[in-house]
Amino acid sequence: MSLLVCAQLMALQPGRNIEQYAHTRWRIQDGQLPGMLYAVAQTRNGNLWIGTEFGLRRFDGTRFLPWQPPQGRHLPDEYINSLAAAHDGSLWIGTRTGVSHWTADALESYKTSKGPTGPGVAAILEDRSRTVWIGTVGYKSGELCRVESHALHCYGPANGQPAPGVVSIFESPSGELWAGGAGGVSCLRRGVLEFVPTSSGGTVESFAEDDAGHHLVSTGKRDGLNQMVDGRLVPFSLPPGNEVVGPRQLLRDRDGGLWIGTWAQGLFHLYQGRVDRFTQAEGLSGDDVHSLFEDREGNIWVATGGGLDRFRDYAVTTVSKHEGLSSNVVGSVAASKTGAVWIGTQSGLNRIQDNQIRVFSQRDGLPSNSIMAIFEDRSGRLWVDTYRGLAYFNGTRFDRPVPLAQSMGRIGAAAEDRDGAIWFSSEHGLIAIQHDRVAHSVPWSQFAGQHAWAMEPDISRGGIWLGFPDGRLAHYGPAQTIEWYGGAEGLGHGLISDLHAGRDQTLWIATEKGLGRLRDGAIHTLTIASDPPCNRIHAIVEDRSAALWLDTPCGLVVFSASDLTRWSQNPRIKVQPRIYNNQDGMLSHPTASGYFRLAARSNDGRLWFAVLNGVAVVDPERIPANPLPPPVEIEEIRADRKAFPLNSGLTLPALTRELEIDYAALSFVAPEKVLFRYRLEGFDRDWEDVGARRQAIYTNLRPQHYRFRVIACNNDGIWNSEGTSLDFIIAPAFYQTGWFFALCCGCLFLLSYTGYRLRVGYVENNLKMTFDATLAERTRIARELHDTLLQNITGFALHLDGLMKTVVKDPHSAIGILRDLRKQAEEWLRETRESVWDLRANESEVPDIVAALSAAGKQIVGESPVGFRIGAAGRQQAVPSVLQEQLVRIEQEAVRNALRHGGPAEIRVQVAFVRGKRIRMLIRDDGCGFDLEQAWQKNGHYGLATMRERAQQIGGEFRVSSQPGRGTEIEVNAPIANHRKQRH
C-alpha cells in the first residue's frame, strides 16, 4: 500500500516553508551585536538601522557599526525601543525617555519622561500626509502624540483614550489611524479616539491585515490573534491543528504572507491557510521575537532576544523528507508526460503530482525499496531499476518484465531509439527490449569491455549514443558500424556522465573537463571555469528557452541559448554562465552518483536535480530577481590608521604613507555576492575590479587633489553605475609646496649664476696667467736676445770695424782675427739654436718631471765634455704641467749659464718630493763661480732675475749661492697642490 502525504508540498507553492528560505543569523552570544534588539528600520538611502538596548547600530551587509550623533548632541537615552524611517530620508529614534529626529547633520530630541517610570516611546509612524505619530507607554501613563511645529501634541483621556499607554500604531489603507494599547485598539476620528476592546484582553502590540483586508491585531495572549469584523475584534481562526501561542509582532509581506513573532514560541508563517513554524531549535537566534521588518529588497528581518535573523528567497528550493519525501538520499529523477515527477530514493519511489507526494514501495510490486534508476518510454510506461531487479508501472502497480530482463543485473543507463526499442546498459551487456521481448543483446566486449554510463537516442540517423567511463563516445546501431569519438576528436577527458540531444540535432556531452558539443561530426568542448572541479558535469537538462542547465560540484551552471549559439559559431570566444550555488539554495553532489538520471524537466517548466539532501527544484521562469541597484556609501577614510571625518574639502596630512578607504553597497539579499569597482582619479588610469572586497588601500600618494569613486552591483549583477565619490586633498610638506619649489629654482639660478661667474673669473684668471706667462716669456726672450745675440752682433760689428783697419795696416794679422770671428759666429749660432729650442718646448712632451728635466739638461749639454747627472728622492709623482714647464725653464737657464760662464766639469740636478705636497729642485755645478752681489748688479746678465720670476710664478722659493772658484748652487722649492687646482 502506497503512502499518500495529504499536506500540500511546500516547495510547489508561491509561499514556502520557512525552512526553504535562505536564513542567516547574527547572535548576541557570538559577539556580533552588543545586546538585545528591539527595532529595525531602513532609511531611503538603503541603510539598515538596528535599535538595541545599548544604542543604535547601522548594518552595511557585513558589519554592525555604532552610530555617532552629531557633535555636541545626544539621544535622550541609549535604550532604543522603536525606529521609523521618514520619507525625506531622516530617521526617528524612540527611546525609554524620549524621541529624536536625526537628519544628515542635525539631531532634534523631544522628552517624554522625567523619570524611570515615565512613558517611553514604544511606537513611531509617519502617515501618508507626512505627519509623525508617537506612541508612549509607562507605568500608568502614555499617550498618542503628534509631532507638530517642533513639539508633541498628545491625545489623552480627554480625547477618548480609555487607558494610558500606546504600544502600537497602524494606518489602514483607507487612511484611518489606529493605536493599540491595553485591552484593545483606538481609532482616531475627528480628533477623538474611539475604543474597540479585544476578545481576550491583553495589550495590542502589533497590527496587520489578512487576505480579505481585515485588520489583524496581536496581544501576546494564548489566543491573542484577533480580527476586526464589523467594528469588533474577534478571534482569528487558523487551520485546524495550527495554534499560534502568544502572538506579539505581525508583518504582512509583499507576497501576502503573514509573519507572526511570538513570546517564547519562535516565528510563524501563514500563507493561504497553511501555517509553519521556525524556532531556536531550527536555527532562529531566539524564540522571543521583538520586531519584524521587510526591507526594500524583500528580505524579512526578525529581531529576537538572542540576535537578528534574515530570511530571503532562494532561487533553488529543496524538497526533502521535511516536505514529505521518503528519504533525503535521492538517486534518480524522472519527469512523466502526465506532469508527475518521479524521485527514486533508498526508501521507496516518490511521485509528486498535484501538489501531493505518494510513496511506492514493495507493497506496490517493486522488487526493492532501494531505487537505482528511473526511465519513462514514449508510450508512457515507467521503468524502474531497483536493487533487486527491473520493474515497470502499469498505472496502479509495478510488474516484473520478461524473464531475461529480470536477470540483467544493475542498470546504468537507458534510452529509447526512434524505432521504439528500449536499450538498457546492464551488467551483462547492451540489451534492447521491444514488444515485451529481448530484441538485441550486445556484449560489452564489442565496446572494449567498457560499460556505458550515459545513453541518448539518435533520432536523425537511428541508433543510440553511448558514453563511457574512459571518456569515449560511441554511436551504435544494430546494422551500423560503431563510430568512436575521444580526445583526438576534441572531446574532454574523463567520465561521460550524461548525454542530451538538443533541438538542432546537436548532441551535448557531460564530461569531467567541460561541456562537449557534437554536430556534423565535429566536437568542441566548452570549459566552464578555471577551477577544474567546476568543469565536472553530473547532469544536463534543457529548459523551455533552450538554455542548458548543468549540475556541477560548484552549483548549477546556466548557459543561455544565445550564448550557446555565439559559442557554437566561434568556439574560441569566452562565454560567461550564470551560476547558482549554495548561496542560492543549490547543494550539489561533489561527485556523480552513478544513478540514472540525475535531472529532469517537468511539464510545467520546472527543473529537478538530485542533490545531497533531497531534490533541488528551480523554475527558470520565476527565479527571484533583485532589480534594485545597491546604494553605495563610503564609510570611513583613514590616513596612517587615523580616521578622518567624511567632510567636503577634506584635507589629509602631509607625507601620508598609507591611505585606507572603507566602502559598502547596501544590498542585503546576498552581500557576499555584491561586487565592486573603484577608481582613484589622479592615480588610477582605469577602474579596478576588486570583487567583493570592501576596502581600498593606497600607499605613498603624491600631494594633490584626488577623487575616489566606487560603484557596485547586487547579487543579480545589477550595477549602480553612479555609485558615490569622495574628494580629498593630501597636503604637501613644506618641501613639496610651490613656494619651496620656486625658492629652490631661485637658489639653483643663483648657484648657477655664481658658478658661471666663478667660471668666468677662473677663465679670466687663466687667460691673465697665460698672458702674463706669454709676456714674461717674451720679456725673457727679449732679454736673452739682448744679452746674447744682440750684444754678440754688436761686438761682431765692432770687431769688423777693427778688422777693416787691421787689413789695411797688417793683412797677415787679419787672418787670425777672422778665425776668432768664425769661432764667435759658431758660438752665437749654437746659442740661437738653444733659444729656438726653448721656444718650441712650451710644454714638456714627457709626463715624468724627472725625465723631462733629464731630457732638457742633456739637450743643452749636448756633445760638450761637461758631465750631466740627475737624481730623485722621495715618492715620485706626477706634477702639473704648469709647474713642470717652469721647473724645466729654470733648469735650462741654470745649465746654460753654467756652460757659458762657469766652465764646469760636471752639472748635477737633484729632485726631491717632500711629503707629496712640495717639490724641491737643486742644481749644482763645479765651475768657477761668481760674485753674487756683482751678478745682481749686471741687470740679470746671468739670467738670475728670469729664474726668480719663474719661481715666483709657481709660488715657489728661489735661492742661489755662489763664490768665485767654488761653483754655483741654485735651489727652487715649490708647492704641488696649488697647481693641480689650476689645471683645466
Side-chain angles (χ1 to χ4, degrees):
M1 181 177 181
S2 63
L3 174 64
L4 181 64
V5 180
C6 298
Q8 290 183 329
L9 182 64
M10 311 303 183
L12 305 180
Q13 295 293 335
R16 297 175 175 175
N17 186 308
I18 295 182
E19 290 190 350
Q20 292 177 312
Y21 284 94
H23 171 235
T24 306
R25 70 178 180 182
W26 296 266
R27 298 190 303 175
I28 298 173
Q29 69 184 63
D30 297 330
Q32 298 167 307
L33 291 161
M36 284 196 291
L37 285 65
Y38 292 100
V40 182
Q42 186 176 34
T43 46
R44 193 173 62 181
N45 60 7
N47 277 303
L48 194 73
W49 299 95
I50 314 297
T52 77
E53 61 179 325
F54 297 111
L56 184 63
R57 293 292 189 271
R58 181 175 65 86
F59 184 56
D60 67 358
T62 59
R63 300 181 299 169
F64 293 90
L65 304 172
W67 172 79
Q68 297 296 332
Q71 188 173 7
R73 310 292 292 179
H74 57 83
L75 294 175
D77 191 272
E78 290 296 313
Y79 198 107
I80 297 175
N81 293 321
S82 57
L83 295 170
H87 74 285
D88 60 359
S90 61
L91 182 67
W92 289 86
I93 308 167
T95 73
R96 288 189 298 186
T97 58
V99 64
S100 296
H101 183 214
W102 174 58
T103 59
D105 54 1
L107 183 68
E108 185 177 13
S109 298
Y110 306 84
K111 274 284 189 179
T112 61
S113 173
K114 296 182 180 179
T117 61
V121 177
I124 309 173
L125 180 138
E126 183 185 53
D127 65 19
R128 293 179 180 84
S129 66
R130 311 307 186 206
T131 300
V132 176
W133 297 88
I134 309 294
T136 68
V137 63
Y139 179 71
K140 297 183 179 181
S141 61
E143 300 170 302
L144 175 67
C145 302
R146 182 180 74 250
V147 180
E148 185 176 344
S149 300
H150 303 283
L152 296 180
H153 299 270
C154 300
Y155 297 82
N159 304 100
Q161 183 174 338
V166 173
V167 179
S168 56
I169 309 174
F170 175 72
E171 185 181 21
S172 68
S174 62
E176 292 180 331
L177 189 73
W178 293 81
V185 298
S186 299
C187 181
L188 182 63
R189 294 188 177 98
R190 296 178 296 278
V192 177
L193 292 169
E194 299 179 3
F195 184 73
V196 180
T198 63
S199 62
S200 58
T203 299
V204 174
E205 299 194 33
S206 185
F207 289 85
E209 286 190 342
D210 63 9
D211 295 337
H214 298 134
H215 297 349
L216 292 176
V217 300
S218 62
T219 65
K221 297 287 186 176
R222 183 173 184 84
D223 55 349
L225 194 59
N226 280 227
Q227 179 182 28
M228 181 73 72
V229 179
D230 298 330
R232 295 183 306 108
L233 287 175
V234 299
F236 179 71
S237 60
L238 293 172
N242 294 284
E243 181 181 14
V244 178
V245 178
R248 182 182 184 187
Q249 297 294 325
L250 303 177
L251 173 67
R252 181 85 168 186
D253 66 28
R254 64 186 63 182
D255 296 323
L258 180 65
W259 298 79
I260 306 170
T262 70
W263 285 102
Q265 298 296 317
L267 182 67
F268 288 82
H269 183 230
L270 172 64
Y271 185 82
Q272 294 184 353
R274 174 181 52 81
V275 179
D276 58 280
R277 181 184 174 193
F278 194 74
T279 67
Q280 191 169 355
E282 284 80 35
L284 197 66
S285 61
D287 283 333
D288 290 334
V289 178
H290 297 162
S291 179
L292 297 172
F293 178 75
E294 182 178 22
D295 67 20
R296 60 198 288 268
E297 295 173 301
N299 300 298
I300 303 298
W301 298 86
V302 182
T304 75
L308 182 67
D309 297 77
R310 181 194 64 200
F311 295 89
R312 64 175 175 87
D313 271 337
Y314 271 138
V316 183
T317 303
T318 300
V319 180
S320 65
K321 193 172 182 178
H322 184 274
E323 284 72 41
L325 286 184
S326 58
S327 172
N328 285 339
V329 182
V330 176
S332 55
V333 179
S336 173
K337 297 177 179 59
T338 63
V341 176
W342 295 88
I343 301 172
T345 74
Q346 289 185 341
S347 302
L349 180 65
N350 299 255
R351 183 181 66 185
I352 301 176
Q353 190 169 24
D354 298 330
N355 299 329
Q356 293 183 340
I357 298 178
R358 180 178 178 181
V359 180
F360 293 86
S361 65
Q362 288 179 280
R363 297 180 179 179
D364 301 288
L366 286 172
S368 169
N369 288 337
S370 181
I371 310 301
M372 312 304 292
I374 311 171
F375 174 74
E376 185 180 67
D377 61 27
R378 286 197 293 271
S379 68
R381 174 181 284 184
L382 185 73
W383 299 81
V384 180
D385 181 41
T386 73
Y387 185 75
R388 294 180 178 173
L390 184 68
Y392 64 86
F393 190 54
N394 61 16
T396 57
R397 289 182 56 82
F398 285 88
D399 293 329
R400 305 296 296 273
V402 294
L404 182 60
Q406 297 179 22
S407 60
M408 285 192 297
R410 184 167 300 175
I411 294 175
E416 182 178 10
D417 66 20
R418 67 178 182 181
D419 299 324
I422 302 172
W423 295 83
F424 293 97
S425 172
S426 74
E427 293 180 359
H428 306 297
L430 188 62
I431 298 175
I433 297 178
Q434 194 170 21
H435 306 305
D436 292 333
R437 64 181 182 85
V438 176
H440 302 281
S441 180
V442 184
W444 290 124
S445 59
Q446 293 194 24
F447 300 93
Q450 294 283 323
H451 293 203
W453 270 49
M455 299 174 64
E456 187 74 356
D458 186 344
I459 304 301
S460 60
R461 293 193 299 163
I464 54 174
W465 292 99
L466 305 171
F468 293 93
D470 64 355
R472 291 190 298 167
L473 177 72
H475 182 274
Y476 174 79
Q480 301 175 12
T481 303
I482 299 176
E483 299 176 8
W484 289 96
Y485 300 86
E489 289 73 30
L491 193 61
H493 298 287
L495 167 72
I496 295 178
S497 56
D498 200 6
L499 299 171
H500 174 73
R503 303 178 183 181
D504 56 354
Q505 298 183 2
T506 296
L507 181 68
W508 297 100
I509 309 161
T511 76
E512 291 187 338
K513 301 297 182 181
L515 179 65
R517 176 183 181 271
L518 171 61
R519 185 175 182 185
D520 299 330
I523 294 180
H524 297 284
T525 299
L526 174 60
T527 300
I528 297 173
S530 57
D531 189 10
C534 296
N535 288 310
R536 185 185 304 130
I537 302 172
H538 302 158
I540 308 173
V541 65
E542 182 177 347
D543 67 17
R544 292 198 285 206
S545 69
L548 289 185
W549 293 68
L550 314 177
D551 184 10
T552 76
C554 297
L556 287 179
V557 177
V558 186
F559 289 100
S560 67
S562 59
D563 284 343
L564 291 173
T565 300
R566 287 192 304 109
W567 176 77
S568 299
Q569 294 170 351
N570 182 10
R572 293 186 179 87
I573 67 172
K574 296 287 186 180
V575 290
Q576 187 66 36
R578 176 67 188 270
I579 299 178
Y580 298 93
N581 54 25
N582 59 341
Q583 297 169 347
D584 302 291
M586 181 62 187
L587 302 176
S588 297
H589 282 283
T591 58
S593 67
Y595 296 154
F596 185 84
R597 280 184 152 161
L598 299 177
R601 187 186 78 199
S602 56
N603 288 352
D604 57 7
R606 280 179 292 180
L607 310 180
W608 303 73
F609 299 89
V611 292
L612 289 175
N613 59 341
V615 179
V617 186
V618 58
D619 190 342
E621 300 169 12
R622 293 179 178 85
I623 292 179
N626 184 5
L628 301 177
V632 183
E633 284 193 351
I634 295 175
E635 296 183 327
E636 190 176 39
I637 182 170
R638 295 181 299 277
D640 293 333
R641 302 194 177 182
K642 179 182 178 182
F644 288 83
L646 301 175
N647 299 329
S648 59
L650 173 61
T651 300
L652 301 178
L655 303 179
T656 294
R657 293 187 176 183
E658 184 177 68
L659 181 67
E660 299 170 283
I661 304 176
D662 294 341
Y663 49 83
L666 305 177
S667 176
F668 305 113
V669 174
E672 62 277 2
K673 286 193 171 185
V674 173
L675 305 179
F676 296 90
R677 295 174 184 163
Y678 64 67
R679 180 185 182 189
L680 183 62
E681 295 180 359
F683 181 81
D684 291 325
R685 295 183 178 179
D686 204 351
W687 290 92
E688 298 286 336
D689 286 300
V690 294
R693 182 156 57 89
R694 296 180 175 231
Q695 185 183 74
I697 300 177
Y698 292 92
T699 57
N700 299 320
L701 292 174
R702 297 195 309 264
Q704 65 177 61
H705 173 270
Y706 294 96
R707 172 174 291 175
F708 180 76
R709 296 183 59 196
V710 57
I711 60 177
C713 73
N714 66 12
N715 59 299
D716 281 334
I718 305 299
W719 282 92
N720 178 351
S721 57
E722 292 296 326
T724 189
S725 64
L726 174 66
D727 289 80
F728 63 91
I729 295 172
I730 295 182
F734 75 92
Y735 57 82
Q736 296 173 317
T737 58
W739 65 264
F740 184 82
F741 178 74
L743 179 62
C744 290
C745 290
C747 293
L748 181 61
F749 173 76
L750 291 176
L751 288 174
S752 300
Y753 181 75
T754 302
Y756 167 74
R757 293 304 306 163
L758 291 175
R759 179 65 178 172
V760 169
Y762 176 73
V763 172
E764 289 178 349
N765 184 56
N766 283 344
L767 289 175
K768 184 176 181 303
M769 289 177 61
T770 303
F771 176 77
D772 291 345
T774 303
L775 181 61
E777 186 67 15
R778 290 179 63 185
T779 302
R780 184 189 67 81
I781 294 172
R783 187 181 295 115
E784 288 183 355
L785 290 176
H786 175 270
D787 291 345
T788 56
L789 184 61
L790 183 59
Q791 291 184 9
N792 290 335
I793 293 174
T794 302
F796 186 74
L798 292 176
H799 280 83
L800 287 177
D801 290 340
L803 181 61
M804 291 175 60
K805 296 176 181 180
T806 303
V807 170
V808 175
K809 295 179 180 181
D810 187 4
H812 291 285
S813 61
I815 295 173
I817 295 172
L818 288 173
R819 287 192 185 99
D820 292 338
L821 289 176
R822 177 182 175 85
K823 291 180 180 179
Q824 292 180 15
E826 289 176 353
E827 179 66 21
W828 300 340
L829 181 61
R830 186 183 64 80
E831 292 179 353
T832 301
R833 286 196 187 106
E834 290 176 356
S835 297
V836 171
W837 184 83
D838 288 344
L839 291 175
R840 295 179 62 187
N842 288 329
E843 287 198 19
S844 175
E845 298 177 357
V846 183
D848 184 353
I849 180 64
V850 177
L853 292 172
S854 177
K858 291 178 180 179
Q859 176 71 27
I860 296 173
V861 171
E863 298 178 358
S864 69
V866 178
F868 179 83
R869 288 193 301 172
I870 188 169
R875 184 178 179 182
Q876 188 172 340
Q877 57 182 309
V879 298
S881 60
V882 175
L883 177 61
Q884 178 172 310
E885 178 184 350
Q886 297 296 349
L887 292 176
V888 170
R889 296 286 190 185
I890 293 172
E891 181 208 34
Q892 289 173 338
E893 186 70 27
V895 173
R896 190 179 295 116
N897 286 341
L899 291 175
R900 288 176 182 170
H901 308 292
E906 184 181 57
I907 300 174
R908 294 182 180 182
V909 179
Q910 184 70 26
V911 180
F913 295 89
V914 183
R915 298 178 182 177
K917 296 181 179 180
R918 302 183 70 85
I919 184 170
R920 184 168 66 90
M921 180 177 68
L922 183 64
I923 305 171
R924 294 190 183 97
D925 68 71
D926 56 359
C928 63
F930 59 91
D931 189 330
L932 191 60
E933 183 175 352
Q934 292 180 0
W936 286 114
Q937 293 176 357
K938 291 182 178 181
N939 296 323
H941 177 72
Y942 294 102
L944 296 177
T946 300
M947 288 187 285
R948 172 167 287 183
E949 289 174 0
R950 290 187 183 280
Q952 291 174 348
Q953 289 177 1
I954 59 177
E957 300 172 356
F958 179 79
R959 185 182 63 83
V960 59
S961 62
S962 179
Q963 291 182 7
R966 295 186 178 183
T968 304
E969 182 178 275
I970 295 175
E971 180 182 358
V972 179
N973 194 328
I976 297 175
N978 293 345
H979 301 285
R980 284 203 177 97
K981 297 178 182 178
Q982 296 175 4
R983 297 183 69 179
H984 61 278

